[in-house]
Amino acid sequence: MRIAFLGPAGTYGEQAAGRLAALEGQPEAELVPQVGIRAVVQALAEGRCEAAVVPVENSVEGGVTACLDALWEHPELRVARALVLPIRHALLGSGPITGISEVLSHPQALAQCSQWLGEQLPNALQLPTSSTAEAARMVAGSRFRGAIASLEAAREHGLEVLAYPVNDVPGNCTRFLLLRRGDRQLQGPLASLAFSLHANSPGALLEALGCFARLGLNMSRIESRPSKREMGEYIFFVDLELSEGSAPLEQALVALQPLCEHLAVFGAYPLELAREEASGAA
C-alpha cells in the first residue's frame, strides 16, 4: 500500500500517515512524499497511490483551504479515517537565535506562532514554504535563517533546537484525513460533505441547513470557500455528528439534493485522537 503525504520527511503529515496506516492494518505501508497538498490528492486521484493523508483543519487557524479546494475538485474520493494530532513547533537553526533575521515555515505554522515570533523575533522576515520540514531543509547550514518546524525535522536535517515549544496555543492540534478511492460509507461517528446552492438568494443556505436540523443531525463544523467562478458564490463544507445507523444522513441527503447545484459526499468515518505529543511538522 502506497500512501501520499505532504513531504519531505519530518512533517506532521508523515507522522499522521504512519499512524493512520497502522489503524488501517497496514503498518508496513510505503509513505510517498509529495510537494504541496494538491499534489498529495492528485497522487491518489491519478492512481499512483492507494491512499493520501492531508491536513484539513487546525484548532488555531481553522480550515486548510488547499485541502478543501482539492477535495471539491475530486468528489470521487472518500474519507476513510480521521486523526487529530497535537502540534508542537520548535525554532530550528544552525546559528544563535540572536542572529536570526529570516524565519521560514509553512504559512499555517507561521500563523500558529505569530505571537511568539512578534515578541521574540520582531524584526525577522517571515518567509512561507510548502511545509515546515521543507523549511528545515532550506535553513540547514545558514547562520541567519531559522525554521519553525518539529523536533523530528531537527534530527532529520541536523539542526539545533533554538527554542521549544514556540506555538502560541498549548492545545494546538490538526485533524488529518485519510483519503481513498472506492465506495463511501454512510455509517460512522462523523460525516463530511460539501455543496453549492442553485442561487445566492435570501434564506437559501438556511433552507439547506434545515435538512440537517430537522433530522437531529448536529453540525460540528461549517466553512465556506469561494467557488472561484464569480463574486458572492460559495461552496459550503459541513461535518455532521452521526448516531447509530445511516438513515438520518441518507434522508438529509435526499432532502438536500434538490437545493444544490453540486453535492459532494465524502462519506462517514471514524475519528481517532492521538493522546501523546507529536514530533513531526505540519
Side-chain angles (χ1 to χ4, degrees), residues 6-282:
L6 177 62
T11 63
Y12 285 120
E14 181 184 40
Q15 189 169 128
R19 298 191 187 195
L20 285 164
L23 290 169
E24 287 283 285
Q26 300 279 347
E28 302 302 320
E30 179 185 356
L31 305 185
V32 184
Q34 305 291 323
V35 180
I37 291 175
R38 285 179 179 272
V40 175
V41 176
Q42 198 69 26
L44 172 61
E46 295 177 354
R48 290 182 280 114
C49 289
E50 289 71 50
V53 171
V54 289
V56 68
E57 179 185 21
N58 177 261
S59 61
V60 177
E61 288 301 306
V64 180
T65 57
C67 175
L68 298 178
D69 290 346
L71 284 174
W72 182 252
E73 292 169 7
H74 295 281
E76 74 278 9
L77 303 181
R78 64 180 176 92
V79 180
R81 285 185 181 273
L83 177 73
V84 176
L85 202 61
I87 306 296
R88 305 291 181 264
H89 294 305
L91 178 68
L92 312 179
S94 299
I97 191 172
T98 53
I100 299 297
S101 60
E102 294 181 359
V103 178
L104 284 68
S105 197
H106 188 276
Q108 282 252 345
L110 291 173
Q112 292 161 23
C113 304
S114 60
Q115 182 178 339
W116 188 92
L117 289 170
E119 293 173 353
Q120 303 298 325
L121 296 170
N123 298 318
L125 182 63
Q126 298 181 24
L127 302 175
T129 59
S130 61
S131 73
T132 52
E134 176 65 10
R137 185 193 68 79
M138 293 175 65
V139 307
S142 173
R143 303 286 293 180
F144 67 91
R145 278 184 159 185
I148 297 293
S150 66
L151 298 181
E152 184 176 319
R155 292 188 290 269
E156 183 76 26
H157 299 284
L159 296 170
E160 298 178 24
V161 178
L162 305 181
Y164 175 84
V166 298
N167 38 283
D168 299 332
V169 179
N172 187 15
C173 57
T174 295
R175 176 160 59 108
F176 288 86
L177 302 179
L178 175 69
L179 305 178
R180 304 196 72 168
R181 296 187 300 273
D183 295 336
R184 55 194 47 79
Q185 301 295 319
L186 295 180
Q187 287 185 319
L190 195 65
S192 293
L193 56 93
F195 61 88
S196 61
L197 300 170
H198 285 298
N200 182 19
S201 59
L205 178 58
L206 180 61
E207 185 179 4
L209 299 183
C211 298
F212 309 133
R214 287 190 294 273
L215 292 163
L217 295 174
N218 183 52
M219 288 190 303
S220 58
R221 170 172 164 267
I222 181 171
E223 185 164 348
S224 64
R225 289 286 297 147
S227 68
K228 299 179 175 60
R229 297 193 307 185
E230 60 181 69
M231 184 70 72
E233 186 179 78
Y234 292 93
I235 301 159
F236 300 95
F237 293 82
V238 173
D239 288 344
L240 298 170
E241 295 177 350
L242 304 182
S243 55
E244 294 296 327
S246 60
L249 177 59
E250 292 175 347
Q251 294 171 27
L253 295 177
V254 170
L256 183 63
Q257 182 69 66
L259 307 177
C260 299
E261 181 183 17
H262 297 290
L263 173 61
V265 182
F266 303 114
Y269 50 90
L271 172 67
E272 305 286 341
L273 176 62
R275 298 294 181 182
E276 68 272 23
E277 290 188 3
S279 61

